[in-house]
Amino acid sequence: MTQPDPARPQPARPAPVYRAPREWTRLHPVSPLLGGWAVFGVVGSIALYNVAPDWVGADEELVQAAHWLWRSLLWVILGAVLIVGLAIGIGYLQWRVDEYRLSDEAIEQRKGILFKQHKQARLDRVQAVDVVQPLLARIFGFAVLKVEVAGGENSGIALEYLRLGDAEAMRNELLALAAGVKRAKAEGRDASVNAVLSDDAVAKFPAQPTPVGGEGENPAYASAASLRDVTDGLRSLGGPAGLTETAAAPEREVYKVPIGRLLQSIVLSWPFLWICTLPLWVGLAVWIFPIEFNEIVAVAGASLFTVVPAALGLLGYFWSQLSGGFGFTAAISEDGIRLRHGLTETRRQTVPPGRVQAVQFQQSLLWRKKDWWRVTINVAGYQDDQAAVSTLLPVGTRQDALTALWLVLPDLGDPDPAGTVSLALSGTGDEGGFTPVTRRARLFDPWQWRHRGVRATDRALMIRRGWLVRDMFVVPHERTQSLGLTQGPLQRWRGVATFTVHSTNGPVSPVAQHLDMADAVALLDAQALRAAEGRRRQTPEQWMTAVGIREDGA
């Protein structure tokens, strides 16, 4: 037998090629282990109740049961093994019956031990395909594939867990089939991005801000400076070492949130401010009221189980802000808006612009000096996971916020989009062509009535409000679900009314309060006509052309 020469270079192994299965295929065998970590919380709870001192206020029966279990160490070990084994066994049975496949018409999943389920998501109803990696799955190279479809609650499909390469291959194939790329190529026309996304689409707005009264007062509606050339799709997604049978569509990065800015935004938040001033309030209370130190310790110990959950909830808020905004990057491709973010749980998601129903800009008082904004959206089709996709920009400059709006609504229908949106964000009264709230509304809103107003452009309705916390809503006319006009008895007495734009489920609720009754009625009638006209003329290709992905007639 000939031994290989160590000095002689060996041929490199070909990179694996990941394919989307067309036959019924099970999830990865490691799925029961990755999804069964909750059972260890039971064992941890027993230990917690055992070691916790009596003065923390735990339930006496639970403490006694925990002490009894702890004294019988053998039974604890056997019980833990039994619980873990039972969980793994049930997980194994679930894995055996959980299968999926992809066809030219739909992605299908069937599962269930006692109650069988067979889900079918038609490709023409697919809204988005997200690749999610929780911490444990990320360590070992696995991912969850979530397919969101236009339908009711629990209509989506979640494949937990696949190898990262398999998840990427399925995602690419699903998006390609759903977009009709393969069908277009079969007909002899190219439906993919040929080279780089055109800078002409964004260059029609000034590339640099034009300061008016301060930094960032009148920035460009969108900037081409932050865009970069298209890189390989799989590499840009941070995918596995290998190739997918269907390559990811090319993309261009639009903006990115620096980690320093994200940390500063968390520090400049009201919850963090309350935490920092809490010792001051406690000291003030001790100084004002004659409270002994021993009494403070006793009260703190007796209420530990009240304080600890509150503290954990507060820490959870900070962690969610940090983890959700870590490495936040937005890009555009022919699939839509691609968002990548996450610290322990990474998420690569695709937001179809045509499914964005409403946009909200928000700025707290603590962010005003730096002119930072947060942009959130309502997305149709994410009934089961709306919170995961509601953030379009966790924190950014005004120009970043305007660029985020450009991603969703490239054509605002206004000759000066930069100036119009800037006045919508910071203006008062009738500045920027807004219809202001009547002075009769001071009874209901004495502090911020001057900051309220509405304005409609050819493509969207804008609503602004807020004094300490500024809010501005943008609703594309074609995404208007329904309209409402309400008037309470006091509002009727003052001749004002509240105008509401009903949107899909999500954090954005566009409401214009305390408008003059005549203005509210006129707005209701005009907005109904604009919404009907917008739905008639809007097509997905218009967005692709506006952001420079394709040319007219392509």
Side-chain angles (χ1 to χ4, degrees):
M1 182 175 180
T2 304
Q3 297 294 329
D5 185 2
R8 187 176 182 180
Q10 301 297 320
R13 291 185 178 182
V17 178
Y18 299 98
R19 298 179 176 86
R22 296 305 181 113
E23 302 295 334
W24 286 109
T25 304
R26 291 192 181 98
L27 302 174
H28 197 278
V30 79
S31 299
L33 297 177
L34 291 175
W37 284 96
V39 297
F40 293 101
V42 177
V43 180
S45 299
I46 294 175
L48 176 63
Y49 275 110
N50 178 77
V51 300
D54 297 335
W55 53 266
V56 299
D59 187 88
E60 294 184 0
E61 295 182 358
L62 290 176
V63 172
Q64 293 175 1
H67 277 260
W68 178 82
L69 289 174
W70 193 260
R71 286 193 298 268
S72 305
L73 184 60
L74 179 61
W75 290 107
V76 172
I77 297 175
L78 291 177
V81 172
L82 179 62
I83 292 174
V84 173
L86 184 62
I88 293 176
I90 294 176
Y92 173 76
L93 293 178
Q94 291 176 337
W95 169 78
R96 291 280 300 179
V97 297
D98 197 342
E99 299 177 310
Y100 69 100
R101 70 176 179 183
L102 177 65
S103 67
D104 290 333
E105 291 79 25
I107 177 175
E108 300 177 72
Q109 182 186 30
R110 58 188 185 189
K111 61 181 181 179
I113 300 175
L114 298 179
F115 301 94
K116 299 291 185 180
Q117 288 185 349
H118 189 156
K119 288 187 176 182
Q120 186 181 70
R122 288 169 39 200
L123 296 180
D124 59 349
R125 305 288 289 174
V126 170
Q127 301 302 322
V129 184
D130 299 342
V131 177
V132 183
Q133 285 188 280
L135 177 60
L136 190 63
R138 183 181 179 186
I139 292 174
F140 294 101
F142 294 92
V144 179
L145 186 77
K146 294 187 176 182
V147 183
E148 304 291 346
V149 297
E153 188 175 356
N154 296 322
S155 59
I157 290 178
L159 304 179
E160 308 177 32
Y161 290 82
L162 305 174
R163 290 182 300 177
L164 181 57
D166 293 329
E168 296 286 5
M170 177 67 81
R171 174 190 178 279
N172 297 346
E173 185 77 4
L174 270 171
L175 291 175
L177 289 173
V181 173
K182 289 189 174 182
R183 186 179 303 110
K185 290 183 177 180
E187 296 171 356
R189 54 188 179 88
D190 188 3
S192 63
V193 181
N194 295 321
V196 296
L197 304 178
S198 172
D199 287 338
D200 295 338
V202 293
K204 62 184 178 182
F205 302 110
Q208 300 295 331
T210 303
V212 177
E215 181 181 357
E217 278 296 314
N218 188 19
Y221 184 55
S223 172
S226 62
L227 299 180
R228 65 183 185 184
D229 292 339
V230 173
T231 57
D232 177 77
L234 184 59
R235 184 172 66 253
S236 67
L237 288 175
L243 302 174
T244 55
E245 187 178 40
T246 301
E251 65 177 40
R252 296 186 73 182
E253 184 179 300
V254 180
Y255 56 79
K256 189 173 184 178
V257 178
I259 182 62
R261 182 192 300 164
L262 179 64
L263 292 174
Q264 290 182 59
S265 69
I266 296 176
V267 172
L268 294 176
S269 63
W270 291 112
F272 190 87
L273 181 63
W274 282 114
I275 286 181
C276 293
T277 57
L278 184 60
L280 176 63
W281 297 113
V282 173
L284 186 63
V286 172
W287 180 66
I288 295 176
F289 302 101
I291 303 176
E292 297 292 339
F293 181 78
N294 293 335
E295 295 178 357
I296 296 176
V297 174
V299 171
S303 60
L304 184 62
F305 271 98
T306 303
V307 175
V308 169
L312 291 178
L314 200 57
L315 292 176
Y317 165 79
F318 293 129
W319 178 254
S320 65
Q321 297 298 311
L322 175 61
S323 180
F326 184 84
F328 197 99
T329 304
I332 52 176
S333 72
E334 67 175 8
D335 302 326
I337 304 168
R338 291 184 180 174
L339 305 178
R340 297 191 297 276
H341 55 93
L343 181 57
T344 55
E345 178 182 279
T346 60
R347 181 179 291 264
R348 295 187 291 275
Q349 54 196 158
T350 304
V351 179
R355 305 301 292 177
V356 175
Q357 308 296 299
V359 184
Q360 179 181 4
F361 295 76
Q362 189 172 74
Q363 182 190 64
S364 69
L365 180 64
L366 299 176
W367 287 8
R368 196 161 300 172
K369 183 177 181 180
K370 293 182 176 294
D371 200 17
W372 286 346
W373 294 85
R374 177 181 178 88
V375 182
T376 55
I377 53 179
N378 285 351
V379 183
Y382 276 84
Q383 291 87 353
D384 305 330
D385 202 11
Q386 180 66 245
V389 75
S390 62
T391 301
L392 188 59
L393 178 66
V395 56
T397 63
R398 181 173 296 210
Q399 183 164 332
D400 290 336
L402 298 178
T403 304
L405 178 61
W406 170 78
L407 287 176
V408 177
L409 190 63
D411 182 11
L412 189 63
D414 188 273
D416 182 20
T420 297
V421 178
S422 291
L423 287 174
L425 294 175
S426 306
T428 59
D430 59 357
E431 293 179 337
F434 274 72
T435 300
V437 169
T438 175
R439 294 177 63 89
R440 296 191 301 274
R442 289 180 298 175
L443 175 65
F444 310 103
D445 208 353
W447 301 108
Q448 62 175 342
W449 67 275
R450 293 181 181 274
H451 300 268
R452 294 187 181 274
V454 295
R455 183 194 167 180
T457 67
D458 291 342
R459 300 300 303 275
L461 177 68
M462 295 184 293
I463 302 173
R464 72 182 179 199
R465 70 180 186 193
W467 173 49
L468 292 178
V469 178
R470 292 174 176 172
D471 289 299
M472 200 273 284
F473 304 93
V474 180
V475 183
H477 295 322
E478 63 274 10
R479 305 303 168 205
T480 301
Q481 301 294 320
S482 62
L483 303 171
L485 197 64
T486 57
Q487 190 180 45
L490 292 179
Q491 286 182 315
R492 190 179 304 115
W493 169 55
R494 300 294 290 177
V496 298
T498 297
F499 174 82
T500 305
V501 181
H502 298 131
S503 182
T504 56
N505 293 332
V508 183
S509 301
V511 178
Q513 294 180 314
H514 313 314
L515 291 175
D516 183 86
M517 186 61 186
D519 293 336
V521 172
L523 178 62
L524 180 70
D525 296 337
Q527 187 60 23
L529 295 177
R530 286 190 288 259
E533 176 64 20
R535 284 190 292 268
R536 184 187 63 81
R537 68 185 180 185
Q538 176 65 19
T539 63
E541 289 74 17
Q542 290 181 359
W543 175 84
M544 297 175 72
T545 301
V547 297
I549 292 180
R550 60 187 297 176
E551 298 295 334
D552 290 321

